[in-house]
Amino acid sequence: KYIGEHIFAEHAQLKIAGGYDHTWSLSKSSGGGLPIAATLYSKVSGRKLSIFTDQPGIQVYSGNHLSITSGGKKGVRYGRHSGVALETQHFPDSPNNKNFPNTILYSGKRYCSRTEWVFSAEWSIVDMAVDWWLYGSIAVRPFHFYMVFYLVLVGCKWVFD
């Protein structure tokens, strides 16, 4: 589903927030690894971001109040809905809802969470043929079909009085 597909839908919560600014509940992994929380993919560039986490939710913010009028990289101006933030977390009302996962941190106890961000890029034979035709080589892009970069975030905190 495209992020912007329903962003202007006639829904009270979307109207209040001006877009997405909501936590989605995630499914637990049926296998041994971390469950996938989200995937972002660009058909244009082939870039892909997959997020895996042990957290029960992910906050999706669609840049509802984004406004960079002074210009960003190369002078590009970024307006409303020009970006997206994905934040793995517990549910916002967890301390007040006994049906949500516990978020109480007790003195002397350790809290850890893990989130993995997997960046990759996919190119087809057609992409490579176009590069060859336009540039006389495929050196513009790496000569492999799939490239992966991992960023693992592990946060641990001791809680003291």
Short mmCIF file of all heavy atoms in Angstrom, two decimals, residues 7-59:
data_model
loop_
_atom_site.label_atom_id
_atom_site.label_comp_id
_atom_site.label_asym_id
_atom_site.label_seq_id
_atom_site.Cartn_x
_atom_site.Cartn_y
_atom_site.Cartn_z
N ILE A 7 -4.04 9.05 2.70
CA ILE A 7 -3.66 10.12 3.63
C ILE A 7 -4.71 11.24 3.72
O ILE A 7 -4.83 11.88 4.74
CB ILE A 7 -2.26 10.68 3.27
CG1 ILE A 7 -1.64 11.35 4.47
CG2 ILE A 7 -2.33 11.60 2.07
CD1 ILE A 7 -0.16 11.60 4.33
N PHE A 8 -5.48 11.42 2.66
CA PHE A 8 -6.52 12.45 2.68
C PHE A 8 -7.92 11.86 2.78
O PHE A 8 -8.91 12.53 2.47
CB PHE A 8 -6.40 13.34 1.43
CG PHE A 8 -5.08 14.03 1.33
CD1 PHE A 8 -4.19 13.70 0.33
CD2 PHE A 8 -4.72 15.01 2.25
CE1 PHE A 8 -2.95 14.34 0.23
CE2 PHE A 8 -3.49 15.64 2.17
CZ PHE A 8 -2.60 15.31 1.16
N ALA A 9 -8.01 10.62 3.24
CA ALA A 9 -9.31 9.95 3.37
C ALA A 9 -10.19 10.68 4.39
O ALA A 9 -9.70 11.37 5.29
CB ALA A 9 -9.11 8.49 3.79
N GLU A 10 -11.47 10.50 4.25
CA GLU A 10 -12.44 11.11 5.17
C GLU A 10 -12.49 10.30 6.46
O GLU A 10 -13.43 9.55 6.70
CB GLU A 10 -13.83 11.17 4.50
CG GLU A 10 -13.90 12.13 3.34
CD GLU A 10 -13.69 13.58 3.77
OE1 GLU A 10 -14.16 13.97 4.85
OE2 GLU A 10 -13.03 14.32 3.01
N HIS A 11 -11.47 10.43 7.27
CA HIS A 11 -11.39 9.73 8.55
C HIS A 11 -11.01 10.74 9.62
O HIS A 11 -10.08 11.53 9.43
CB HIS A 11 -10.35 8.60 8.49
CG HIS A 11 -10.40 7.70 9.67
ND1 HIS A 11 -9.88 8.04 10.89
CD2 HIS A 11 -10.93 6.46 9.82
CE1 HIS A 11 -10.07 7.07 11.75
NE2 HIS A 11 -10.71 6.10 11.12
N ALA A 12 -11.73 10.73 10.72
CA ALA A 12 -11.53 11.73 11.77
C ALA A 12 -10.07 11.80 12.24
O ALA A 12 -9.53 12.90 12.41
CB ALA A 12 -12.45 11.45 12.95
N GLN A 13 -9.43 10.65 12.48
CA GLN A 13 -8.06 10.66 12.99
C GLN A 13 -7.07 11.23 11.98
O GLN A 13 -6.12 11.91 12.35
CB GLN A 13 -7.64 9.24 13.39
CG GLN A 13 -8.33 8.74 14.64
CD GLN A 13 -7.96 9.58 15.86
OE1 GLN A 13 -6.82 9.96 16.05
NE2 GLN A 13 -8.96 9.89 16.67
N LEU A 14 -7.29 10.97 10.69
CA LEU A 14 -6.42 11.56 9.66
C LEU A 14 -6.62 13.06 9.57
O LEU A 14 -5.68 13.82 9.35
CB LEU A 14 -6.67 10.89 8.31
CG LEU A 14 -6.21 9.45 8.19
CD1 LEU A 14 -6.69 8.85 6.88
CD2 LEU A 14 -4.71 9.33 8.32
N LYS A 15 -7.83 13.49 9.74
CA LYS A 15 -8.14 14.94 9.69
C LYS A 15 -7.51 15.66 10.88
O LYS A 15 -6.93 16.73 10.73
CB LYS A 15 -9.65 15.16 9.68
CG LYS A 15 -10.32 14.61 8.44
CD LYS A 15 -10.81 15.75 7.60
CE LYS A 15 -11.56 15.21 6.41
NZ LYS A 15 -10.97 15.64 5.18
N ILE A 16 -7.62 15.08 12.08
CA ILE A 16 -7.07 15.70 13.29
C ILE A 16 -5.55 15.85 13.16
O ILE A 16 -5.00 16.91 13.46
CB ILE A 16 -7.42 14.87 14.54
CG1 ILE A 16 -8.92 14.97 14.83
CG2 ILE A 16 -6.60 15.32 15.74
CD1 ILE A 16 -9.41 13.96 15.86
N ALA A 17 -4.88 14.80 12.71
CA ALA A 17 -3.42 14.81 12.62
C ALA A 17 -2.91 15.49 11.35
O ALA A 17 -1.74 15.84 11.26
CB ALA A 17 -2.88 13.38 12.69
N GLY A 18 -3.76 15.64 10.34
CA GLY A 18 -3.32 16.20 9.07
C GLY A 18 -2.58 15.19 8.23
O GLY A 18 -1.81 15.53 7.35
N GLY A 19 -2.79 13.91 8.51
CA GLY A 19 -2.10 12.80 7.84
C GLY A 19 -1.85 11.71 8.87
O GLY A 19 -2.55 11.62 9.88
N TYR A 20 -0.84 10.90 8.62
CA TYR A 20 -0.52 9.84 9.57
C TYR A 20 0.35 10.37 10.70
O TYR A 20 1.35 11.03 10.47
CB TYR A 20 0.22 8.68 8.88
CG TYR A 20 -0.62 7.96 7.85
CD1 TYR A 20 -0.28 8.01 6.51
CD2 TYR A 20 -1.75 7.25 8.21
CE1 TYR A 20 -1.03 7.36 5.55
CE2 TYR A 20 -2.52 6.59 7.27
CZ TYR A 20 -2.15 6.66 5.94
OH TYR A 20 -2.91 6.02 5.00
N ASP A 21 -0.02 10.06 11.90
CA ASP A 21 0.78 10.27 13.11
C ASP A 21 0.22 9.31 14.13
O ASP A 21 -0.34 9.69 15.15
CB ASP A 21 0.70 11.72 13.59
CG ASP A 21 1.77 12.03 14.63
OD1 ASP A 21 2.60 11.15 14.91
OD2 ASP A 21 1.77 13.16 15.16
N HIS A 22 0.35 8.02 13.80
CA HIS A 22 -0.33 6.97 14.54
C HIS A 22 0.60 5.78 14.77
O HIS A 22 1.52 5.55 14.00
CB HIS A 22 -1.56 6.49 13.76
CG HIS A 22 -2.52 7.60 13.46
ND1 HIS A 22 -2.38 8.40 12.35
CD2 HIS A 22 -3.60 8.04 14.13
CE1 HIS A 22 -3.35 9.30 12.34
NE2 HIS A 22 -4.11 9.10 13.41
N THR A 23 0.29 5.04 15.82
CA THR A 23 1.03 3.81 16.12
C THR A 23 0.27 2.62 15.59
O THR A 23 -0.93 2.49 15.81
CB THR A 23 1.24 3.66 17.64
OG1 THR A 23 1.96 4.79 18.12
CG2 THR A 23 2.02 2.40 17.96
N TRP A 24 0.97 1.76 14.86
CA TRP A 24 0.39 0.52 14.37
C TRP A 24 0.89 -0.62 15.25
O TRP A 24 2.06 -0.69 15.62
CB TRP A 24 0.82 0.24 12.93
CG TRP A 24 -0.14 0.75 11.91
CD1 TRP A 24 -1.11 0.03 11.27
CD2 TRP A 24 -0.24 2.07 11.38
NE1 TRP A 24 -1.80 0.83 10.40
CE2 TRP A 24 -1.29 2.10 10.45
CE3 TRP A 24 0.44 3.26 11.63
CZ2 TRP A 24 -1.66 3.23 9.75
CZ3 TRP A 24 0.08 4.40 10.94
CH2 TRP A 24 -0.96 4.38 10.02
N SER A 25 0.01 -1.54 15.55
CA SER A 25 0.34 -2.74 16.32
C SER A 25 0.99 -3.74 15.36
O SER A 25 0.51 -3.94 14.25
CB SER A 25 -0.94 -3.34 16.92
OG SER A 25 -0.64 -4.52 17.60
N LEU A 26 2.08 -4.34 15.80
CA LEU A 26 2.83 -5.27 14.94
C LEU A 26 2.56 -6.71 15.32
O LEU A 26 2.32 -7.03 16.49
CB LEU A 26 4.33 -4.98 15.05
CG LEU A 26 4.75 -3.56 14.68
CD1 LEU A 26 6.23 -3.36 14.97
CD2 LEU A 26 4.45 -3.29 13.21
N SER A 27 2.66 -7.59 14.35
CA SER A 27 2.52 -9.03 14.59
C SER A 27 3.83 -9.57 15.12
O SER A 27 4.91 -9.08 14.76
CB SER A 27 2.16 -9.76 13.29
OG SER A 27 0.95 -9.29 12.78
N LYS A 28 3.74 -10.60 15.94
CA LYS A 28 4.96 -11.24 16.44
C LYS A 28 5.50 -12.20 15.39
O LYS A 28 4.76 -12.71 14.56
CB LYS A 28 4.66 -11.98 17.74
CG LYS A 28 4.31 -11.04 18.87
CD LYS A 28 4.18 -11.76 20.18
CE LYS A 28 3.88 -10.73 21.25
NZ LYS A 28 3.76 -11.32 22.55
N SER A 29 6.80 -12.45 15.46
CA SER A 29 7.45 -13.35 14.52
C SER A 29 7.00 -14.78 14.74
O SER A 29 6.87 -15.24 15.87
CB SER A 29 8.97 -13.26 14.70
OG SER A 29 9.61 -14.19 13.87
N SER A 30 6.76 -15.48 13.63
CA SER A 30 6.41 -16.89 13.74
C SER A 30 7.67 -17.75 13.66
O SER A 30 7.64 -18.93 13.95
CB SER A 30 5.43 -17.28 12.63
OG SER A 30 6.00 -17.00 11.37
N GLY A 31 8.77 -17.14 13.25
CA GLY A 31 10.04 -17.86 13.14
C GLY A 31 10.96 -17.49 14.29
O GLY A 31 10.53 -17.04 15.34
N GLY A 32 12.26 -17.65 14.05
CA GLY A 32 13.23 -17.40 15.09
C GLY A 32 13.76 -15.99 15.16
O GLY A 32 14.25 -15.55 16.17
N GLY A 33 13.64 -15.21 14.08
CA GLY A 33 14.23 -13.88 14.04
C GLY A 33 13.26 -12.79 14.46
O GLY A 33 12.14 -13.05 14.88
N LEU A 34 13.75 -11.57 14.34
CA LEU A 34 12.90 -10.42 14.63
C LEU A 34 11.80 -10.32 13.57
O LEU A 34 12.07 -10.52 12.39
CB LEU A 34 13.71 -9.13 14.60
CG LEU A 34 14.70 -8.89 15.73
CD1 LEU A 34 15.50 -7.61 15.46
CD2 LEU A 34 13.99 -8.78 17.05
N PRO A 35 10.59 -9.95 13.96
CA PRO A 35 9.54 -9.78 12.96
C PRO A 35 9.73 -8.49 12.17
O PRO A 35 10.30 -7.53 12.67
CB PRO A 35 8.26 -9.72 13.80
CG PRO A 35 8.70 -9.30 15.15
CD PRO A 35 10.10 -9.80 15.33
N ILE A 36 9.26 -8.51 10.94
CA ILE A 36 9.35 -7.30 10.12
C ILE A 36 8.26 -6.33 10.56
O ILE A 36 7.13 -6.72 10.80
CB ILE A 36 9.25 -7.63 8.61
CG1 ILE A 36 9.58 -6.38 7.80
CG2 ILE A 36 7.90 -8.21 8.25
CD1 ILE A 36 10.03 -6.66 6.40
N ALA A 37 8.63 -5.08 10.70
CA ALA A 37 7.70 -4.04 11.14
C ALA A 37 7.19 -3.23 9.95
O ALA A 37 6.02 -2.86 9.91
CB ALA A 37 8.38 -3.12 12.14
N ALA A 38 8.08 -2.93 9.00
CA ALA A 38 7.68 -2.09 7.86
C ALA A 38 8.70 -2.24 6.74
O ALA A 38 9.86 -2.60 6.98
CB ALA A 38 7.60 -0.64 8.28
N THR A 39 8.25 -1.94 5.54
CA THR A 39 9.13 -1.87 4.37
C THR A 39 8.75 -0.64 3.57
O THR A 39 7.58 -0.41 3.29
CB THR A 39 8.98 -3.13 3.48
OG1 THR A 39 9.34 -4.28 4.24
CG2 THR A 39 9.86 -3.04 2.25
N LEU A 40 9.75 0.15 3.23
CA LEU A 40 9.57 1.28 2.32
C LEU A 40 10.31 0.92 1.03
O LEU A 40 11.45 0.44 1.08
CB LEU A 40 10.15 2.56 2.89
CG LEU A 40 9.49 3.13 4.14
CD1 LEU A 40 10.22 4.40 4.58
CD2 LEU A 40 8.03 3.44 3.89
N TYR A 41 9.69 1.18 -0.12
CA TYR A 41 10.31 0.85 -1.39
C TYR A 41 10.01 1.93 -2.42
O TYR A 41 8.88 2.42 -2.50
CB TYR A 41 9.79 -0.51 -1.89
CG TYR A 41 10.34 -0.90 -3.24
CD1 TYR A 41 11.67 -1.29 -3.38
CD2 TYR A 41 9.54 -0.86 -4.37
CE1 TYR A 41 12.18 -1.64 -4.61
CE2 TYR A 41 10.05 -1.20 -5.61
CZ TYR A 41 11.38 -1.59 -5.73
OH TYR A 41 11.89 -1.92 -6.95
N SER A 42 11.01 2.31 -3.19
CA SER A 42 10.83 3.27 -4.27
C SER A 42 10.95 2.54 -5.60
O SER A 42 12.00 1.98 -5.91
CB SER A 42 11.90 4.36 -4.20
OG SER A 42 11.88 5.13 -5.38
N LYS A 43 9.88 2.59 -6.39
CA LYS A 43 9.92 1.99 -7.72
C LYS A 43 10.89 2.73 -8.63
O LYS A 43 11.47 2.15 -9.53
CB LYS A 43 8.53 1.99 -8.36
CG LYS A 43 7.58 0.98 -7.79
CD LYS A 43 6.27 1.02 -8.56
CE LYS A 43 5.29 0.00 -8.02
NZ LYS A 43 4.01 0.03 -8.75
N VAL A 44 11.04 4.02 -8.39
CA VAL A 44 11.90 4.86 -9.23
C VAL A 44 13.37 4.51 -9.05
O VAL A 44 14.09 4.28 -10.02
CB VAL A 44 11.66 6.36 -8.94
CG1 VAL A 44 12.62 7.23 -9.73
CG2 VAL A 44 10.22 6.72 -9.25
N SER A 45 13.85 4.49 -7.80
CA SER A 45 15.28 4.29 -7.55
C SER A 45 15.65 2.85 -7.23
O SER A 45 16.82 2.49 -7.30
CB SER A 45 15.73 5.17 -6.37
OG SER A 45 15.13 4.70 -5.18
N GLY A 46 14.68 2.03 -6.86
CA GLY A 46 14.97 0.66 -6.45
C GLY A 46 15.44 0.56 -5.01
O GLY A 46 15.73 -0.51 -4.51
N ARG A 47 15.50 1.70 -4.31
CA ARG A 47 15.93 1.68 -2.91
C ARG A 47 14.84 1.08 -2.04
O ARG A 47 13.65 1.30 -2.28
CB ARG A 47 16.28 3.08 -2.43
CG ARG A 47 17.54 3.61 -3.05
CD ARG A 47 17.83 4.99 -2.58
NE ARG A 47 16.78 5.87 -3.11
CZ ARG A 47 16.76 7.18 -2.96
NH1 ARG A 47 17.70 7.77 -2.26
NH2 ARG A 47 15.80 7.90 -3.47
N LYS A 48 15.29 0.37 -1.00
CA LYS A 48 14.35 -0.32 -0.12
C LYS A 48 14.86 -0.25 1.32
O LYS A 48 16.05 -0.39 1.56
CB LYS A 48 14.23 -1.78 -0.57
CG LYS A 48 13.29 -2.63 0.22
CD LYS A 48 13.25 -4.02 -0.41
CE LYS A 48 12.47 -5.01 0.40
NZ LYS A 48 12.53 -6.34 -0.21
N LEU A 49 13.96 -0.01 2.24
CA LEU A 49 14.27 -0.03 3.66
C LEU A 49 13.32 -1.01 4.33
O LEU A 49 12.11 -0.89 4.19
CB LEU A 49 14.09 1.36 4.29
CG LEU A 49 14.06 1.42 5.81
CD1 LEU A 49 15.39 0.98 6.41
CD2 LEU A 49 13.69 2.82 6.28
N SER A 50 13.87 -2.00 5.02
CA SER A 50 13.07 -2.94 5.79
C SER A 50 13.45 -2.78 7.25
O SER A 50 14.63 -2.68 7.59
CB SER A 50 13.34 -4.38 5.36
OG SER A 50 12.98 -4.55 4.01
N ILE A 51 12.43 -2.72 8.11
CA ILE A 51 12.66 -2.52 9.54
C ILE A 51 12.15 -3.74 10.30
O ILE A 51 11.01 -4.18 10.11
CB ILE A 51 11.94 -1.25 10.04
CG1 ILE A 51 12.43 -0.04 9.27
CG2 ILE A 51 12.17 -1.07 11.54
CD1 ILE A 51 11.64 1.22 9.54
N PHE A 52 13.03 -4.30 11.14
CA PHE A 52 12.70 -5.45 11.98
C PHE A 52 12.86 -5.01 13.43
O PHE A 52 13.79 -4.28 13.76
CB PHE A 52 13.66 -6.61 11.71
CG PHE A 52 13.64 -7.08 10.28
CD1 PHE A 52 14.38 -6.44 9.30
CD2 PHE A 52 12.86 -8.17 9.91
CE1 PHE A 52 14.36 -6.86 7.98
CE2 PHE A 52 12.83 -8.61 8.59
CZ PHE A 52 13.59 -7.95 7.63
N THR A 53 11.97 -5.45 14.32
CA THR A 53 12.06 -4.99 15.71
C THR A 53 11.41 -5.97 16.67
O THR A 53 10.56 -6.77 16.28
CB THR A 53 11.40 -3.60 15.86
OG1 THR A 53 11.65 -3.11 17.17
CG2 THR A 53 9.90 -3.66 15.61
N ASP A 54 11.82 -5.86 17.93
CA ASP A 54 11.16 -6.63 18.99
C ASP A 54 10.09 -5.78 19.69
O ASP A 54 9.46 -6.23 20.63
CB ASP A 54 12.18 -7.16 20.00
CG ASP A 54 12.97 -6.05 20.70
OD1 ASP A 54 12.72 -4.85 20.44
OD2 ASP A 54 13.85 -6.39 21.50
N GLN A 55 9.89 -4.56 19.23
CA GLN A 55 8.89 -3.67 19.83
C GLN A 55 7.49 -4.04 19.35
O GLN A 55 7.33 -4.54 18.24
CB GLN A 55 9.19 -2.21 19.47
CG GLN A 55 10.49 -1.70 20.07
CD GLN A 55 10.43 -1.70 21.58
OE1 GLN A 55 9.69 -0.95 22.18
NE2 GLN A 55 11.21 -2.58 22.20
N PRO A 56 6.46 -3.78 20.15
CA PRO A 56 5.10 -4.17 19.76
C PRO A 56 4.42 -3.22 18.78
O PRO A 56 3.38 -3.55 18.22
CB PRO A 56 4.35 -4.19 21.09
CG PRO A 56 5.06 -3.19 21.94
CD PRO A 56 6.51 -3.28 21.54
N GLY A 57 5.00 -2.02 18.57
CA GLY A 57 4.34 -1.06 17.68
C GLY A 57 5.33 -0.24 16.88
O GLY A 57 6.53 -0.23 17.16
N ILE A 58 4.80 0.44 15.87
CA ILE A 58 5.61 1.36 15.08
C ILE A 58 4.78 2.62 14.83
O ILE A 58 3.63 2.56 14.42
CB ILE A 58 6.08 0.73 13.74
CG1 ILE A 58 7.09 1.66 13.04
CG2 ILE A 58 4.93 0.36 12.84
CD1 ILE A 58 7.86 0.98 11.93
N GLN A 59 5.37 3.75 15.17
CA GLN A 59 4.73 5.05 14.95
C GLN A 59 5.06 5.50 13.54
O GLN A 59 6.22 5.50 13.13
CB GLN A 59 5.26 6.08 15.96
CG GLN A 59 4.65 7.44 15.86
CD GLN A 59 3.28 7.54 16.53
OE1 GLN A 59 2.90 6.67 17.29
NE2 GLN A 59 2.57 8.60 16.24
#
